[in-house]
Amino acid sequence: MPPVCQPPMPPVISQPVPSLPTANLPAKLFVGQIPRTCNEATIRTLFQQFGEVSEIYMMKDKSTNGHKGAAFVTFVDMAAAQMAIKHL
């Protein structure tokens, strides 16, 4: 079982910006307030339950090489992103 990442507060997830009225377009979400104990694998596990994740970019702190507590999660389609927003 992968490590569970329990944030002290619910993660902040931005709404995807709608560009065209279709659910087949990729959608990138901003996720904030990620605990320092989380890594890319735990974020991927959390978000893949809502659909296929094509990319995760965790913002890095250059001085510590750790993440800054925020990431962008890109879903293959808009419907999966909407499900993640609804349930998280």
Side-chain angles (χ1 to χ4, degrees):
M1 187 167 149
V4 178
C5 181
Q6 295 293 333
M9 298 178 2
V12 175
I13 303 173
S14 66
Q15 296 287 332
V17 178
S19 56
L20 295 174
T22 177
N24 293 332
L25 292 177
K28 184 181 284 189
L29 302 180
F30 172 80
V31 182
Q33 299 181 354
I34 300 172
R36 303 272 186 237
T37 56
C38 291
N39 59 26
E40 184 175 332
T42 56
I43 298 298
R44 184 173 297 276
T45 300
L46 176 66
F47 282 91
Q48 277 186 328
Q49 63 185 321
F50 304 106
E52 185 178 348
V53 174
S54 62
E55 180 183 21
I56 295 177
Y57 174 74
M58 296 188 77
M59 292 179 236
K60 302 280 183 177
D61 183 337
K62 292 179 183 178
S63 63
T64 65
N65 206 26
H67 70 79
K68 291 184 173 184
F72 288 96
V73 177
T74 304
F75 284 94
V76 172
D77 61 50
M78 183 71 71
Q82 293 291 351
M83 288 293 290
I85 290 168
K86 181 179 177 181
H87 294 290
L88 294 176

